Amino acid sequence: MNKFISIRLFIGILAFSMVACNDDFLEKTPETDIDAGSFFNTEEDLNLYVYNLYDFPSTGIYTDDAYSLTDNAFSTGNVELKTMMTTNPSSTTITSGWAKEDWEQLRKANFFLENFNKASISQERLHHFEGLARFFRARFYVGKVKRYSDVPWTDKALSQDSLDVLFDERDPREIVISKIMEDYEFAMNNVDVSVPNGAVNRWLVKADYARFLLYEGTYRKYHAELNLSGSAADLLQKAVDVAKDIMDNGSFNLYTTGKPDQDYSSLFASADLSNNPEVIFGRFYQANVLNGDSGENLFGNYETYPVKDLVQAYLMKDGSFYSSQPNYQQNQFVAEFNDRDPRLYQTFAYPGWVLVRSGTYAQGAGLYVQQLAKNFSGYHQIKGFYNTTDQDVRNNMDVPLYRFAEILLIYAEAKAELGQLTQGDLDITVNKLRDRVAMPHMTLGAPVDPVEAAKFPNVTSGQRAEILEIRRERRVELALEGRRYDDLMRWEAGKFLEKEPQGIYFASLGKHDVTGDGIPDIYLLPASQSIPEKKETNSLGKVLQYYRVGTFGQDVSVFLGGTNSGNIQIIENSGTFVAPKYYYRPIPQQQMQLNPNLKQIFGWE
């Protein structure tokens, strides 16, 4: 199959949306109030309706780590959790997630399930379509459980005007999860294996199910407030089983051509992932038919940017901890990239990298020199950034949403959490990932990195060292793909977000080389000095980039941690993460007034 098939699939989604606006058919009634006798008659009808349930992300995965707030990336924008940690939040200020439109996906899925079996097709095909709708219902409820924990469960197609008042009371988390698992299980056993590229198939269902099982299993293990730790092992074992099924029977493999400095990054800048052996599911684009492009703001100093804590997570090229390097915290930009895991250079703009696409970058194209600014880290992301001026090339780029690499990590982590991890397990999971980038293998009984141990003091099991290193591997492999927030939440690591995020380190004021050629590129001045009208040029004839540095409250270009040296400072106060309260969100007060049966939990008012 090729990507053109998947383009047609998404055009089908658009076609359904256009039908939904037709004056003679759907405008008089909501789309989920379609007369079943007029619509649910053929397989084409079912396909059109199901396409309208597709709710997968796209290039937004590359900024999710920042917009959800993590230790991987930060945002200058209005991030919900950042606001919560720096204010006094309540159900009157946290108001998203429970409005009528937030339940629309559930209503559409349930309406389909009430009417799909009227189509004149075989029972096998009916089971396939039922599995698809139940898959999307499961995904919907996973999102609601992550946000609220206890939520009302319904399998009825509620009327459009009653969503905000019809629900009775919240069902306990364990009941909702059992319903979610029933939906996943049905879908896993009935959705077709072979479908047009870009459509939901059985392997995607299993991958999404495995992702959820790991989430819920570890969430229950580490969140004592739920009183559900006794059921964590069963969920983790199920995650192992589903992941292993994908590994053994799914015909997926890690993408590699034997180029450790290129293969990883090529997954995130590819014009055709439709036949890539690693991609279980992706978003596929075709220039001038269905345009992609991650946008210039991904690289430029717009709202999101990676931070130092992620840089420091990558191992050295020889497999040793970066934190074992003498005075590693005072390494300047060029030194930070010396002899590191090759995935670092394929995720971050590095010394010597050349910028081609410079639309939002004031310093323009050419050899990469940091454009520093207040509240930004000085690091820039190249993972998912399409570094070309050819718009058609950028519009043609595909996005890998579910990778086989994640399945390997799910299997390894679940085994370690169960205390069952063997060297053989590592060799078919983590070490496959390391082989791709020519990194040394992970072994059982590896030493504990004190930096990682300090982040996760609640990891106390017999395979503690292995859990910590698998978490590192997961962080590095899936960096800036939108998985980190869920990881921190399920590991009960929200308090770590109180640590103020930092940017690159400068050992002094004055001139600094950031390209690695030994020639200065940046000139830092104290707050007391003005930037001269006639700026100095370096030996290459390039004008130095001048910045006045100081502390918060001063009128300067960059905030620095110390008077004459330190890390770039991003935010003056990260705030307080109140546990367990901030692992959840309140039901908005307006909805509570509409339905008095709803009750707040975990300290929300």
Side-chain angles (χ1 to χ4, degrees), residues 4-75:
F4 289 100
I5 296 175
S6 64
I7 300 302
R8 292 208 308 269
L9 184 151
F10 285 105
I11 289 175
I13 298 174
L14 177 62
F16 184 88
S17 299
M18 293 173 67
V19 169
C21 295
N22 185 285
D23 289 338
D24 297 327
F25 189 46
L26 294 180
E27 193 175 71
K28 295 178 182 178
T29 56
E31 68 183 45
T32 47
D33 290 337
I34 299 170
D35 177 16
S38 301
F39 188 76
F40 292 100
N41 297 320
T42 67
E43 183 159 336
E44 182 181 3
D45 290 346
L46 301 187
N47 270 320
L48 279 173
Y49 195 102
V50 166
Y51 291 161
N52 196 45
L53 295 175
Y54 278 57
D55 59 349
F56 299 102
S58 182
T59 54
I61 65 170
Y62 299 127
T63 53
D64 275 353
D65 279 1
Y67 282 128
S68 55
L69 188 63
T70 70
D71 53 349
N72 279 357
F74 206 77
S75 172

Side-chain angles (χ1 to χ4, degrees), residues 141-149 173 177 208-223 226 232 235-236 239 406 410 413-414 474 483-492 583-584:
Y141 265 111
V142 167
K144 284 289 183 271
V145 168
K146 286 179 179 179
R147 186 169 177 83
Y148 298 107
S149 194
R173 183 186 187 109
I177 294 299
D208 200 64
Y209 191 22
R211 179 186 284 182
F212 160 72
L213 288 164
L214 179 69
Y215 177 92
E216 184 64 16
T218 49
Y219 203 99
R220 293 188 184 194
K221 179 175 180 177
Y222 290 105
H223 283 266
L226 295 180
L235 290 164
L236 290 170
E406 183 183 355
I410 289 171
E413 183 181 346
R474 179 179 174 89
R483 306 308 313 156
R484 186 63 174 176
Y485 176 79
D486 278 355
D487 288 345
L488 293 177
M489 295 301 102
R490 66 189 176 90
W491 295 331
E492 211 256 331
Y583 288 107
Y584 313 91

Side-chain angles (χ1 to χ4, degrees), residues 275-400:
N275 293 305
N276 189 294
E278 184 168 341
V279 178
I280 298 172
F281 186 77
R283 290 294 300 270
F284 302 103
Y285 294 99
Q286 184 67 41
N288 303 313
V289 179
L290 185 67
N291 290 328
D293 195 356
S294 56
E296 294 172 338
N297 291 332
L298 183 66
F299 180 83
N301 289 345
Y302 175 60
E303 281 190 353
T304 67
Y305 45 87
V307 297
K308 179 178 285 292
D309 197 83
L310 176 56
V311 175
Q312 293 181 331
Y314 291 77
L315 295 171
M316 300 299 293
K317 181 65 176 173
D318 64 4
S320 62
F321 304 139
Y322 177 66
S323 59
S324 297
Q325 303 297 306
N327 302 313
Y328 77 98
Q329 292 175 317
Q330 283 74 50
N331 276 343
Q332 298 194 83
F333 182 72
V334 173
E336 284 186 302
F337 285 81
N338 289 338
D339 299 320
R340 304 291 298 279
D341 184 328
R343 286 171 291 191
L344 178 61
Y345 319 114
Q346 298 174 67
T347 302
F348 285 77
Y350 53 84
W353 183 76
V354 176
L355 175 66
V356 176
R357 182 186 184 188
S358 60
T360 60
Y361 204 61
Q363 291 167 204
L367 195 62
Y368 167 62
V369 175
Q370 277 90 345
Q371 178 181 315
L372 305 181
K374 286 187 290 188
N375 302 114
F376 289 86
S377 67
Y379 295 109
H380 291 87
Q381 173 180 346
I382 60 174
K383 185 175 183 178
F385 173 68
Y386 309 144
N387 191 28
T388 174
T389 57
D390 190 321
Q391 185 67 58
D392 282 349
V393 171
R394 299 199 303 263
N395 284 338
N396 212 38
M397 296 294 188
D398 295 341
V399 182

Side-chain angles (χ1 to χ4, degrees), residues 149-166:
S149 194
D150 297 353
V151 293
W153 167 269
T154 183
D155 57 3
K156 306 299 181 185
L158 304 175
S159 68
Q160 191 176 39
D161 296 327
S162 63
L163 287 176
D164 52 357
V165 296
L166 190 58

Side-chain angles (χ1 to χ4, degrees), residues 211-284:
R211 179 186 284 182
F212 160 72
L213 288 164
L214 179 69
Y215 177 92
E216 184 64 16
T218 49
Y219 203 99
R220 293 188 184 194
K221 179 175 180 177
Y222 290 105
H223 283 266
E225 72 274 8
L226 295 180
N227 295 314
L228 294 174
S229 60
S231 56
D234 289 342
L235 290 164
L236 290 170
Q237 185 59 56
K238 185 67 176 177
V240 168
D241 296 342
V242 175
K244 194 62 162 62
D245 177 35
I246 298 171
M247 293 162 63
D248 290 345
N249 302 309
S251 299
F252 299 104
N253 289 291
L254 293 181
Y255 172 76
T256 178
T257 66
K259 298 177 181 178
D261 294 327
Q262 300 177 25
D263 287 341
Y264 175 77
S265 61
S266 67
L267 287 164
F268 313 102
S270 172
D272 190 0
L273 292 174
S274 59
N275 293 305
N276 189 294
E278 184 168 341
V279 178
I280 298 172
F281 186 77
R283 290 294 300 270
F284 302 103

